[in-house]
Amino acid sequence: MPILGFGVYQVPPEQTEKVVTDALAAGYRSIDTAAAYGNEEAVGRAISSSGIPREELFVTTKLWVQDNPAEDNTRRAFDTSLRKLGLDHVDLYLMHQPYRDVHGQWRAMQDLHRDGLAKAIGVSNFHPDRLVDLTEHNEITPAVNQVETHPFHQRTADQDLMRDRGVQIESWGPFAEGRNGLFTHPVLSEIGDTHGKSVAQVVLRWLIQRDVVVIPKSVRADRMSENLDVFDFTLTDDQMARIATLDTGTSQFFDHRDPGMTTQLGNHRLTD
């Protein structure tokens, strides 16, 4: 799994094919989508028309919350995603939310993995308690946990637990969608000036040096290329320590353990 990939969250379906085409042309080989994003078909068209051999690509999609019987519905949801993508397998299949019958969903995902249809399986938005519960009561440990991770919510303790459990942390929202003044933050800006790099590049480099897989999104080809250009410099220990001081320890979006959010997300259903 490449440590730096490309995400398509909030990219409208009508723009996604061009955006992914541009990302592949820029050099990305890892693409992250989800059933809930509504753009799997467009991702599949871009992959198909790219001419890039399938074995050079790493494709991730995600399972939305399923009604009971969770195992049967998970298999149907996966088949739908695979059909929309136009692929015969995905490289990583993630459970998008930690709600409803997660164990039933995971049993079905384990079968998909055993059948070779999902080369790896993992989860998203699982806090440590939910991750430990899933891990200790199933056969296969999630390969990945994709969670909100950025300078203002660094998840250091969560990453330590994941590492101890053999789970790779992956960041969504690496730029916090610009919240808390990220792109003009004086600490990040000063570090960027030292290296001749943008704040976005500093953030991506910081995550990479922490061994966090990251999937930044952009609809602009120049920004896509800029986000890839982060392997020619290294943050010093002092710079890493300065960024560590920015951690607020809280989400910039919402808490998946909030009862209201649990109800909202756990009861939302996709129309297709």
Side-chain angles (χ1 to χ4, degrees), residues 131-145:
L131 183 64
V132 169
D133 179 66
L134 189 73
T135 299
E136 292 190 349
H137 300 289
N138 287 282
E139 180 180 346
I140 298 175
T141 296
V144 168
N145 186 15

Side-chain angles (χ1 to χ4, degrees), residues 2-3 28 48 57 59 86 114 132 148 155 169 208 214 233 241 255 264 271:
I3 198 163
Y28 291 91
S48 177
L57 298 174
V59 180
R114 293 187 189 100
V132 169
E148 176 190 351
R155 314 300 284 261
I169 186 172
I208 289 168
V214 62
F233 74 108
D255 189 345
Q264 180 180 332
T271 58

Side-chain angles (χ1 to χ4, degrees), residues 24-153:
L24 293 172
Y28 291 91
R29 291 298 179 265
S30 175
I31 306 295
D32 177 280
T33 184
Y37 300 169
N39 55 21
E40 288 173 308
E41 288 177 298
V43 169
R45 289 194 299 271
I47 289 172
S48 177
S49 62
S50 71
I52 298 170
R54 177 65 181 89
E55 61 271 17
E56 295 182 14
L57 298 174
F58 192 97
V59 180
T60 300
T61 194
K62 306 179 192 73
L63 170 75
W64 190 250
V65 181
Q66 296 300 307
D67 291 319
N68 288 324
E71 292 182 56
D72 292 343
N73 286 333
T74 294
R75 185 62 182 245
R76 280 193 287 270
F78 176 83
D79 290 343
T80 298
S81 287
L82 206 61
R83 173 180 54 79
K84 288 183 175 181
L85 287 164
L87 302 176
D88 61 7
H89 73 276
V90 296
D91 299 281
L92 178 62
Y93 195 45
L94 301 179
M95 192 186 307
H96 206 154
Q97 304 291 349
Y99 302 131
R100 295 184 72 92
D101 183 7
V102 297
H103 291 276
Q105 293 173 157
W106 189 251
R107 286 192 294 271
M109 291 172 66
Q110 289 182 139
D111 288 341
L112 292 168
H113 176 61
R114 293 187 189 100
D115 293 343
L117 296 170
K119 300 300 182 182
I121 54 176
V123 295
S124 181
N125 299 310
F126 273 57
H127 283 270
D129 57 333
R130 296 295 83 211
L131 183 64
V132 169
D133 179 66
L134 189 73
T135 299
E136 292 190 349
H137 300 289
N138 287 282
E139 180 180 346
I140 298 175
T141 296
V144 168
N145 186 15
Q146 186 183 112
V147 293
E148 176 190 351
T149 314
H150 49 71
F152 307 125
H153 193 29

Side-chain angles (χ1 to χ4, degrees), residues 186-263:
V187 170
L188 300 172
S189 297
E190 183 181 339
I191 293 172
D193 290 343
T194 300
H195 294 281
K197 295 291 185 177
S198 68
V199 166
Q201 289 171 313
V202 169
V203 171
L204 294 176
R205 183 67 208 179
W206 167 74
L207 286 164
I208 289 168
Q209 285 185 217
R210 287 184 53 203
D211 296 321
V212 177
V213 174
V214 62
I215 46 170
K217 177 204 80 176
S218 179
V219 297
R220 291 174 46 180
D222 58 336
R223 291 283 177 81
M224 295 176 194
S225 296
E226 177 184 300
N227 289 342
L228 275 178
D229 186 23
V230 294
F231 295 99
D232 60 350
F233 74 108
T234 302
L235 300 178
T236 66
D237 290 344
D238 177 68
Q239 290 168 342
M240 295 290 287
R242 290 176 64 197
I243 297 173
T245 67
L246 306 182
D247 192 9
T248 67
T250 59
S251 171
Q252 297 294 300
F253 300 94
F254 55 82
D255 189 345
H256 280 81
R257 295 168 295 189
D258 174 74
M261 188 55 61
T262 300
T263 296

